[in-house]
Amino acid sequence: MAIDFTTYDDDNIFAKILRGELPNTTVHEDDHVLAFLDIVPAAPVHVLVIPKGRYIAQDDFHREASDAEIIAFWRAVAKICDELDGIEDGHRLIANQGGDSGQVVPHFHLHILAGKPLGPLIAA
Ligand code: AMP
């Protein structure tokens, strides 16, 4: 079934994680942000950073979130990148949005990938 990227789905996996209905391995949490390990890591370091608010992707997050939420999000990203083991030689941030990007979870999330040379920006 096609993913609906127009209306927030309270049953999406990350909404369930935020409600404590599914487990996660947390690496950072504050009032506005949760960050946890990706369950299918694409690199030795693969962390997902999500806002706690109900945002589908980067566009509605940056359009509708409060300044406090947006600042907390990006400060958390910087803190995680400063403090994670295995990230000393660089990292890549990816935010998929919509079908062509490969987004499968319709709750805004940022991938932090690191721990090996990550190769070209996109597959050929
Ligand atoms: P995207 O394709 O950008 O929507 O990425 C979604 C990511 O969520 C994928 O990298 C999945 O491996 C990851 N994922 C899906 N379910 C879980 C889960 N329960 N815990 C942690 N990561 C998950």
Side-chain angles (χ1 to χ4, degrees):
M1 199 172 69
I3 300 168
D4 179 6
F5 291 109
T6 61
T7 307
Y8 187 81
D9 172 11
D10 283 301
D11 287 329
N12 79 74
I13 291 168
F14 295 169
K16 291 180 179 177
I17 286 176
L18 285 168
R19 290 196 297 269
E21 295 167 11
L22 290 174
N24 75 93
T25 303
T26 300
V27 301
H28 171 89
E29 182 166 16
D30 61 45
D31 288 349
H32 295 298
V33 182
L34 180 69
F36 51 92
L37 300 184
D38 195 293
I39 202 169
V40 185
V45 176
H46 190 168
V47 172
L48 300 171
V49 188
I50 68 174
K52 290 186 173 179
R54 298 164 75 253
Y55 303 105
I56 298 168
Q58 74 78 20
D59 61 348
D60 57 322
F61 176 68
H62 290 105
R63 198 167 51 233
E64 295 164 19
S66 66
D67 290 356
E69 288 174 288
I70 292 172
I71 290 168
F73 185 85
W74 290 106
R75 293 261 196 254
V77 171
K79 183 174 191 296
I80 293 162
C81 291
D82 278 348
E83 295 178 356
L84 266 183
D85 288 336
I87 204 166
E88 297 79 11
D89 287 336
H91 60 270
R92 181 173 292 165
L93 306 179
I94 296 174
N96 290 319
Q97 166 144 357
D100 276 357
S101 75
Q103 183 178 4
V104 295
V105 180
H107 181 114
F108 174 47
H109 51 282
L110 189 73
H111 298 256
I112 302 174
L113 296 154
K116 69 172 187 180
L118 295 169
L121 188 58
I122 59 172

PDB file of all heavy atoms in Angstrom, residues 12-44:
ATOM      1  N   ASN A  12       2.396   5.241  12.759  1.00  0.00           N
ATOM      2  CA  ASN A  12       3.702   4.959  12.159  1.00  0.00           C
ATOM      3  C   ASN A  12       4.677   4.479  13.236  1.00  0.00           C
ATOM      4  O   ASN A  12       4.505   4.717  14.434  1.00  0.00           O
ATOM      5  CB  ASN A  12       4.228   6.177  11.384  1.00  0.00           C
ATOM      6  CG  ASN A  12       4.827   7.248  12.280  1.00  0.00           C
ATOM      7  OD1 ASN A  12       5.921   7.071  12.801  1.00  0.00           O
ATOM      8  ND2 ASN A  12       4.098   8.355  12.462  1.00  0.00           N
ATOM      9  N   ILE A  13       5.723   3.777  12.790  1.00  0.00           N
ATOM     10  CA  ILE A  13       6.631   3.098  13.726  1.00  0.00           C
ATOM     11  C   ILE A  13       7.262   4.065  14.720  1.00  0.00           C
ATOM     12  O   ILE A  13       7.391   3.742  15.914  1.00  0.00           O
ATOM     13  CB  ILE A  13       7.729   2.356  12.922  1.00  0.00           C
ATOM     14  CG1 ILE A  13       7.123   1.184  12.163  1.00  0.00           C
ATOM     15  CG2 ILE A  13       8.835   1.848  13.838  1.00  0.00           C
ATOM     16  CD1 ILE A  13       8.069   0.570  11.132  1.00  0.00           C
ATOM     17  N   PHE A  14       7.631   5.248  14.254  1.00  0.00           N
ATOM     18  CA  PHE A  14       8.317   6.167  15.164  1.00  0.00           C
ATOM     19  C   PHE A  14       7.340   6.791  16.166  1.00  0.00           C
ATOM     20  O   PHE A  14       7.736   7.099  17.304  1.00  0.00           O
ATOM     21  CB  PHE A  14       9.089   7.232  14.387  1.00  0.00           C
ATOM     22  CG  PHE A  14      10.226   6.678  13.560  1.00  0.00           C
ATOM     23  CD1 PHE A  14      10.887   7.461  12.632  1.00  0.00           C
ATOM     24  CD2 PHE A  14      10.655   5.358  13.708  1.00  0.00           C
ATOM     25  CE1 PHE A  14      11.938   6.954  11.865  1.00  0.00           C
ATOM     26  CE2 PHE A  14      11.698   4.833  12.942  1.00  0.00           C
ATOM     27  CZ  PHE A  14      12.329   5.630  12.020  1.00  0.00           C
ATOM     28  N   ALA A  15       6.077   6.946  15.780  1.00  0.00           N
ATOM     29  CA  ALA A  15       5.069   7.394  16.746  1.00  0.00           C
ATOM     30  C   ALA A  15       4.931   6.350  17.853  1.00  0.00           C
ATOM     31  O   ALA A  15       4.800   6.688  19.040  1.00  0.00           O
ATOM     32  CB  ALA A  15       3.733   7.630  16.045  1.00  0.00           C
ATOM     33  N   LYS A  16       4.977   5.085  17.465  1.00  0.00           N
ATOM     34  CA  LYS A  16       4.872   4.009  18.471  1.00  0.00           C
ATOM     35  C   LYS A  16       6.090   3.994  19.376  1.00  0.00           C
ATOM     36  O   LYS A  16       5.982   3.762  20.587  1.00  0.00           O
ATOM     37  CB  LYS A  16       4.696   2.650  17.767  1.00  0.00           C
ATOM     38  CG  LYS A  16       3.345   2.521  17.077  1.00  0.00           C
ATOM     39  CD  LYS A  16       3.203   1.171  16.395  1.00  0.00           C
ATOM     40  CE  LYS A  16       1.821   1.061  15.740  1.00  0.00           C
ATOM     41  NZ  LYS A  16       1.653  -0.194  15.002  1.00  0.00           N
ATOM     42  N   ILE A  17       7.267   4.234  18.798  1.00  0.00           N
ATOM     43  CA  ILE A  17       8.477   4.324  19.631  1.00  0.00           C
ATOM     44  C   ILE A  17       8.342   5.489  20.613  1.00  0.00           C
ATOM     45  O   ILE A  17       8.639   5.349  21.805  1.00  0.00           O
ATOM     46  CB  ILE A  17       9.727   4.471  18.738  1.00  0.00           C
ATOM     47  CG1 ILE A  17      10.039   3.115  18.065  1.00  0.00           C
ATOM     48  CG2 ILE A  17      10.930   4.964  19.555  1.00  0.00           C
ATOM     49  CD1 ILE A  17      11.201   3.152  17.092  1.00  0.00           C
ATOM     50  N   LEU A  18       7.863   6.625  20.136  1.00  0.00           N
ATOM     51  CA  LEU A  18       7.725   7.797  21.017  1.00  0.00           C
ATOM     52  C   LEU A  18       6.731   7.547  22.139  1.00  0.00           C
ATOM     53  O   LEU A  18       6.894   8.061  23.251  1.00  0.00           O
ATOM     54  CB  LEU A  18       7.300   9.024  20.201  1.00  0.00           C
ATOM     55  CG  LEU A  18       8.398   9.650  19.348  1.00  0.00           C
ATOM     56  CD1 LEU A  18       7.811  10.655  18.356  1.00  0.00           C
ATOM     57  CD2 LEU A  18       9.450  10.323  20.220  1.00  0.00           C
ATOM     58  N   ARG A  19       5.699   6.713  21.900  1.00  0.00           N
ATOM     59  CA  ARG A  19       4.723   6.403  22.946  1.00  0.00           C
ATOM     60  C   ARG A  19       5.199   5.267  23.844  1.00  0.00           C
ATOM     61  O   ARG A  19       4.500   4.871  24.769  1.00  0.00           O
ATOM     62  CB  ARG A  19       3.373   6.037  22.315  1.00  0.00           C
ATOM     63  CG  ARG A  19       2.646   7.195  21.659  1.00  0.00           C
ATOM     64  CD  ARG A  19       1.173   6.863  21.394  1.00  0.00           C
ATOM     65  NE  ARG A  19       1.000   5.758  20.464  1.00  0.00           N
ATOM     66  CZ  ARG A  19       0.878   5.877  19.136  1.00  0.00           C
ATOM     67  NH1 ARG A  19       0.899   7.083  18.592  1.00  0.00           N
ATOM     68  NH2 ARG A  19       0.721   4.817  18.369  1.00  0.00           N
ATOM     69  N   GLY A  20       6.374   4.708  23.538  1.00  0.00           N
ATOM     70  CA  GLY A  20       6.897   3.609  24.343  1.00  0.00           C
ATOM     71  C   GLY A  20       6.277   2.271  24.015  1.00  0.00           C
ATOM     72  O   GLY A  20       6.431   1.302  24.773  1.00  0.00           O
ATOM     73  N   GLU A  21       5.593   2.185  22.869  1.00  0.00           N
ATOM     74  CA  GLU A  21       4.945   0.922  22.495  1.00  0.00           C
ATOM     75  C   GLU A  21       5.901  -0.024  21.775  1.00  0.00           C
ATOM     76  O   GLU A  21       5.619  -1.208  21.639  1.00  0.00           O
ATOM     77  CB  GLU A  21       3.730   1.217  21.599  1.00  0.00           C
ATOM     78  CG  GLU A  21       2.640   1.995  22.317  1.00  0.00           C
ATOM     79  CD  GLU A  21       1.585   2.573  21.379  1.00  0.00           C
ATOM     80  OE1 GLU A  21       1.566   2.206  20.180  1.00  0.00           O
ATOM     81  OE2 GLU A  21       0.790   3.392  21.852  1.00  0.00           O
ATOM     82  N   LEU A  22       6.997   0.511  21.257  1.00  0.00           N
ATOM     83  CA  LEU A  22       8.046  -0.300  20.630  1.00  0.00           C
ATOM     84  C   LEU A  22       9.376   0.088  21.280  1.00  0.00           C
ATOM     85  O   LEU A  22       9.579   1.245  21.645  1.00  0.00           O
ATOM     86  CB  LEU A  22       8.124  -0.030  19.124  1.00  0.00           C
ATOM     87  CG  LEU A  22       6.972  -0.540  18.263  1.00  0.00           C
ATOM     88  CD1 LEU A  22       7.149  -0.054  16.822  1.00  0.00           C
ATOM     89  CD2 LEU A  22       6.908  -2.064  18.300  1.00  0.00           C
ATOM     90  N   PRO A  23      10.289  -0.888  21.418  1.00  0.00           N
ATOM     91  CA  PRO A  23      11.579  -0.578  22.048  1.00  0.00           C
ATOM     92  C   PRO A  23      12.492   0.211  21.119  1.00  0.00           C
ATOM     93  O   PRO A  23      12.291   0.238  19.898  1.00  0.00           O
ATOM     94  CB  PRO A  23      12.167  -1.965  22.324  1.00  0.00           C
ATOM     95  CG  PRO A  23      11.564  -2.840  21.261  1.00  0.00           C
ATOM     96  CD  PRO A  23      10.182  -2.286  20.998  1.00  0.00           C
ATOM     97  N   ASN A  24      13.482   0.848  21.705  1.00  0.00           N
ATOM     98  CA  ASN A  24      14.527   1.483  20.900  1.00  0.00           C
ATOM     99  C   ASN A  24      15.786   1.549  21.740  1.00  0.00           C
ATOM    100  O   ASN A  24      15.733   1.430  22.964  1.00  0.00           O
ATOM    101  CB  ASN A  24      14.109   2.879  20.441  1.00  0.00           C
ATOM    102  CG  ASN A  24      14.183   3.896  21.558  1.00  0.00           C
ATOM    103  OD1 ASN A  24      15.186   4.579  21.744  1.00  0.00           O
ATOM    104  ND2 ASN A  24      13.129   3.983  22.364  1.00  0.00           N
ATOM    105  N   THR A  25      16.912   1.735  21.067  1.00  0.00           N
ATOM    106  CA  THR A  25      18.182   1.942  21.771  1.00  0.00           C
ATOM    107  C   THR A  25      18.502   3.432  21.693  1.00  0.00           C
ATOM    108  O   THR A  25      18.983   3.932  20.670  1.00  0.00           O
ATOM    109  CB  THR A  25      19.298   1.097  21.124  1.00  0.00           C
ATOM    110  OG1 THR A  25      18.889  -0.278  21.151  1.00  0.00           O
ATOM    111  CG2 THR A  25      20.605   1.255  21.905  1.00  0.00           C
ATOM    112  N   THR A  26      18.177   4.129  22.773  1.00  0.00           N
ATOM    113  CA  THR A  26      18.263   5.596  22.791  1.00  0.00           C
ATOM    114  C   THR A  26      19.716   6.056  22.922  1.00  0.00           C
ATOM    115  O   THR A  26      20.463   5.531  23.744  1.00  0.00           O
ATOM    116  CB  THR A  26      17.437   6.145  23.968  1.00  0.00           C
ATOM    117  OG1 THR A  26      16.077   5.741  23.807  1.00  0.00           O
ATOM    118  CG2 THR A  26      17.519   7.671  24.039  1.00  0.00           C
ATOM    119  N   VAL A  27      20.080   7.030  22.121  1.00  0.00           N
ATOM    120  CA  VAL A  27      21.405   7.656  22.288  1.00  0.00           C
ATOM    121  C   VAL A  27      21.283   9.104  22.763  1.00  0.00           C
ATOM    122  O   VAL A  27      22.268   9.678  23.236  1.00  0.00           O
ATOM    123  CB  VAL A  27      22.251   7.581  20.996  1.00  0.00           C
ATOM    124  CG1 VAL A  27      22.473   6.152  20.562  1.00  0.00           C
ATOM    125  CG2 VAL A  27      21.627   8.388  19.873  1.00  0.00           C
ATOM    126  N   HIS A  28      20.086   9.687  22.647  1.00  0.00           N
ATOM    127  CA  HIS A  28      19.872  11.059  23.138  1.00  0.00           C
ATOM    128  C   HIS A  28      18.370  11.266  23.304  1.00  0.00           C
ATOM    129  O   HIS A  28      17.575  10.816  22.478  1.00  0.00           O
ATOM    130  CB  HIS A  28      20.407  12.098  22.131  1.00  0.00           C
ATOM    131  CG  HIS A  28      20.027  13.503  22.498  1.00  0.00           C
ATOM    132  ND1 HIS A  28      20.794  14.291  23.315  1.00  0.00           N
ATOM    133  CD2 HIS A  28      18.928  14.251  22.176  1.00  0.00           C
ATOM    134  CE1 HIS A  28      20.212  15.458  23.473  1.00  0.00           C
ATOM    135  NE2 HIS A  28      19.079  15.460  22.797  1.00  0.00           N
ATOM    136  N   GLU A  29      18.010  11.959  24.391  1.00  0.00           N
ATOM    137  CA  GLU A  29      16.606  12.356  24.545  1.00  0.00           C
ATOM    138  C   GLU A  29      16.556  13.677  25.297  1.00  0.00           C
ATOM    139  O   GLU A  29      17.294  13.893  26.266  1.00  0.00           O
ATOM    140  CB  GLU A  29      15.797  11.291  25.303  1.00  0.00           C
ATOM    141  CG  GLU A  29      14.323  11.687  25.411  1.00  0.00           C
ATOM    142  CD  GLU A  29      13.406  10.559  25.848  1.00  0.00           C
ATOM    143  OE1 GLU A  29      13.916   9.534  26.360  1.00  0.00           O
ATOM    144  OE2 GLU A  29      12.170  10.715  25.675  1.00  0.00           O
ATOM    145  N   ASP A  30      15.696  14.571  24.821  1.00  0.00           N
ATOM    146  CA  ASP A  30      15.395  15.795  25.588  1.00  0.00           C
ATOM    147  C   ASP A  30      13.917  16.095  25.381  1.00  0.00           C
ATOM    148  O   ASP A  30      13.165  15.259  24.870  1.00  0.00           O
ATOM    149  CB  ASP A  30      16.327  16.947  25.182  1.00  0.00           C
ATOM    150  CG  ASP A  30      16.205  17.339  23.717  1.00  0.00           C
ATOM    151  OD1 ASP A  30      15.061  17.458  23.222  1.00  0.00           O
ATOM    152  OD2 ASP A  30      17.241  17.518  23.048  1.00  0.00           O
ATOM    153  N   ASP A  31      13.489  17.283  25.771  1.00  0.00           N
ATOM    154  CA  ASP A  31      12.053  17.599  25.725  1.00  0.00           C
ATOM    155  C   ASP A  31      11.467  17.506  24.318  1.00  0.00           C
ATOM    156  O   ASP A  31      10.286  17.205  24.144  1.00  0.00           O
ATOM    157  CB  ASP A  31      11.809  19.028  26.242  1.00  0.00           C
ATOM    158  CG  ASP A  31      11.997  19.126  27.742  1.00  0.00           C
ATOM    159  OD1 ASP A  31      12.112  18.075  28.395  1.00  0.00           O
ATOM    160  OD2 ASP A  31      12.053  20.259  28.240  1.00  0.00           O
ATOM    161  N   HIS A  32      12.280  17.772  23.311  1.00  0.00           N
ATOM    162  CA  HIS A  32      11.764  17.882  21.944  1.00  0.00           C
ATOM    163  C   HIS A  32      12.277  16.802  20.988  1.00  0.00           C
ATOM    164  O   HIS A  32      11.785  16.705  19.856  1.00  0.00           O
ATOM    165  CB  HIS A  32      12.164  19.241  21.349  1.00  0.00           C
ATOM    166  CG  HIS A  32      11.554  20.409  22.047  1.00  0.00           C
ATOM    167  ND1 HIS A  32      10.201  20.616  22.112  1.00  0.00           N
ATOM    168  CD2 HIS A  32      12.122  21.443  22.724  1.00  0.00           C
ATOM    169  CE1 HIS A  32       9.950  21.729  22.780  1.00  0.00           C
ATOM    170  NE2 HIS A  32      11.097  22.243  23.163  1.00  0.00           N
ATOM    171  N   VAL A  33      13.261  16.028  21.394  1.00  0.00           N
ATOM    172  CA  VAL A  33      14.002  15.185  20.454  1.00  0.00           C
ATOM    173  C   VAL A  33      14.270  13.804  21.043  1.00  0.00           C
ATOM    174  O   VAL A  33      14.561  13.677  22.238  1.00  0.00           O
ATOM    175  CB  VAL A  33      15.368  15.841  20.128  1.00  0.00           C
ATOM    176  CG1 VAL A  33      16.148  15.004  19.110  1.00  0.00           C
ATOM    177  CG2 VAL A  33      15.190  17.264  19.624  1.00  0.00           C
ATOM    178  N   LEU A  34      14.190  12.789  20.180  1.00  0.00           N
ATOM    179  CA  LEU A  34      14.666  11.448  20.538  1.00  0.00           C
ATOM    180  C   LEU A  34      15.618  10.996  19.430  1.00  0.00           C
ATOM    181  O   LEU A  34      15.342  11.213  18.241  1.00  0.00           O
ATOM    182  CB  LEU A  34      13.486  10.471  20.640  1.00  0.00           C
ATOM    183  CG  LEU A  34      13.843   9.027  21.016  1.00  0.00           C
ATOM    184  CD1 LEU A  34      14.340   8.943  22.462  1.00  0.00           C
ATOM    185  CD2 LEU A  34      12.639   8.102  20.827  1.00  0.00           C
ATOM    186  N   ALA A  35      16.728  10.375  19.829  1.00  0.00           N
ATOM    187  CA  ALA A  35      17.659   9.794  18.858  1.00  0.00           C
ATOM    188  C   ALA A  35      17.961   8.373  19.294  1.00  0.00           C
ATOM    189  O   ALA A  35      18.156   8.094  20.483  1.00  0.00           O
ATOM    190  CB  ALA A  35      18.945  10.613  18.788  1.00  0.00           C
ATOM    191  N   PHE A  36      17.974   7.468  18.316  1.00  0.00           N
ATOM    192  CA  PHE A  36      18.131   6.048  18.639  1.00  0.00           C
ATOM    193  C   PHE A  36      18.818   5.340  17.478  1.00  0.00           C
ATOM    194  O   PHE A  36      18.873   5.867  16.347  1.00  0.00           O
ATOM    195  CB  PHE A  36      16.766   5.413  18.940  1.00  0.00           C
ATOM    196  CG  PHE A  36      15.701   5.650  17.911  1.00  0.00           C
ATOM    197  CD1 PHE A  36      15.492   4.760  16.874  1.00  0.00           C
ATOM    198  CD2 PHE A  36      14.904   6.796  17.959  1.00  0.00           C
ATOM    199  CE1 PHE A  36      14.510   4.978  15.915  1.00  0.00           C
ATOM    200  CE2 PHE A  36      13.923   7.035  17.009  1.00  0.00           C
ATOM    201  CZ  PHE A  36      13.729   6.114  15.980  1.00  0.00           C
ATOM    202  N   LEU A  37      19.313   4.142  17.749  1.00  0.00           N
ATOM    203  CA  LEU A  37      20.011   3.381  16.711  1.00  0.00           C
ATOM    204  C   LEU A  37      19.032   2.859  15.678  1.00  0.00           C
ATOM    205  O   LEU A  37      17.938   2.386  16.021  1.00  0.00           O
ATOM    206  CB  LEU A  37      20.768   2.206  17.340  1.00  0.00           C
ATOM    207  CG  LEU A  37      21.838   2.543  18.383  1.00  0.00           C
ATOM    208  CD1 LEU A  37      22.553   1.268  18.828  1.00  0.00           C
ATOM    209  CD2 LEU A  37      22.843   3.558  17.835  1.00  0.00           C
ATOM    210  N   ASP A  38      19.436   2.944  14.398  1.00  0.00           N
ATOM    211  CA  ASP A  38      18.634   2.354  13.329  1.00  0.00           C
ATOM    212  C   ASP A  38      18.655   0.836  13.481  1.00  0.00           C
ATOM    213  O   ASP A  38      19.697   0.234  13.731  1.00  0.00           O
ATOM    214  CB  ASP A  38      19.186   2.755  11.961  1.00  0.00           C
ATOM    215  CG  ASP A  38      18.190   2.485  10.848  1.00  0.00           C
ATOM    216  OD1 ASP A  38      17.902   1.302  10.566  1.00  0.00           O
ATOM    217  OD2 ASP A  38      17.676   3.470  10.267  1.00  0.00           O
ATOM    218  N   ILE A  39      17.502   0.218  13.309  1.00  0.00           N
ATOM    219  CA  ILE A  39      17.378  -1.225  13.522  1.00  0.00           C
ATOM    220  C   ILE A  39      18.057  -2.028  12.406  1.00  0.00           C
ATOM    221  O   ILE A  39      18.416  -3.196  12.602  1.00  0.00           O
ATOM    222  CB  ILE A  39      15.873  -1.603  13.661  1.00  0.00           C
ATOM    223  CG1 ILE A  39      15.707  -2.914  14.398  1.00  0.00           C
ATOM    224  CG2 ILE A  39      15.183  -1.616  12.317  1.00  0.00           C
ATOM    225  CD1 ILE A  39      14.270  -3.202  14.804  1.00  0.00           C
ATOM    226  N   VAL A  40      18.237  -1.416  11.246  1.00  0.00           N
ATOM    227  CA  VAL A  40      18.949  -2.068  10.127  1.00  0.00           C
ATOM    228  C   VAL A  40      20.080  -1.132   9.711  1.00  0.00           C
ATOM    229  O   VAL A  40      19.967  -0.383   8.728  1.00  0.00           O
ATOM    230  CB  VAL A  40      18.006  -2.340   8.931  1.00  0.00           C
ATOM    231  CG1 VAL A  40      18.751  -3.118   7.838  1.00  0.00           C
ATOM    232  CG2 VAL A  40      16.760  -3.092   9.368  1.00  0.00           C
ATOM    233  N   PRO A  41      21.180  -1.128  10.455  1.00  0.00           N
ATOM    234  CA  PRO A  41      22.209  -0.113  10.193  1.00  0.00           C
ATOM    235  C   PRO A  41      22.819  -0.247   8.814  1.00  0.00           C
ATOM    236  O   PRO A  41      23.181  -1.336   8.377  1.00  0.00           O
ATOM    237  CB  PRO A  41      23.241  -0.370  11.296  1.00  0.00           C
ATOM    238  CG  PRO A  41      22.970  -1.742  11.810  1.00  0.00           C
ATOM    239  CD  PRO A  41      21.517  -2.012  11.576  1.00  0.00           C
ATOM    240  N   ALA A  42      22.943   0.886   8.129  1.00  0.00           N
ATOM    241  CA  ALA A  42      23.553   0.930   6.796  1.00  0.00           C
ATOM    242  C   ALA A  42      25.033   1.274   6.872  1.00  0.00           C
ATOM    243  O   ALA A  42      25.712   1.318   5.842  1.00  0.00           O
ATOM    244  CB  ALA A  42      22.809   1.953   5.930  1.00  0.00           C
ATOM    245  N   ALA A  43      25.532   1.513   8.073  1.00  0.00           N
ATOM    246  CA  ALA A  43      26.942   1.835   8.301  1.00  0.00           C
ATOM    247  C   ALA A  43      27.232   1.476   9.754  1.00  0.00           C
ATOM    248  O   ALA A  43      26.302   1.268  10.549  1.00  0.00           O
ATOM    249  CB  ALA A  43      27.200   3.319   8.039  1.00  0.00           C
ATOM    250  N   PRO A  44      28.519   1.397  10.133  1.00  0.00           N
ATOM    251  CA  PRO A  44      28.839   1.054  11.524  1.00  0.00           C
ATOM    252  C   PRO A  44      28.173   1.976  12.547  1.00  0.00           C
ATOM    253  O   PRO A  44      27.800   1.530  13.629  1.00  0.00           O
ATOM    254  CB  PRO A  44      30.369   1.177  11.550  1.00  0.00           C
ATOM    255  CG  PRO A  44      30.792   0.872  10.147  1.00  0.00           C
ATOM    256  CD  PRO A  44      29.720   1.477   9.289  1.00  0.00           C
TER     257      PRO A  44
END
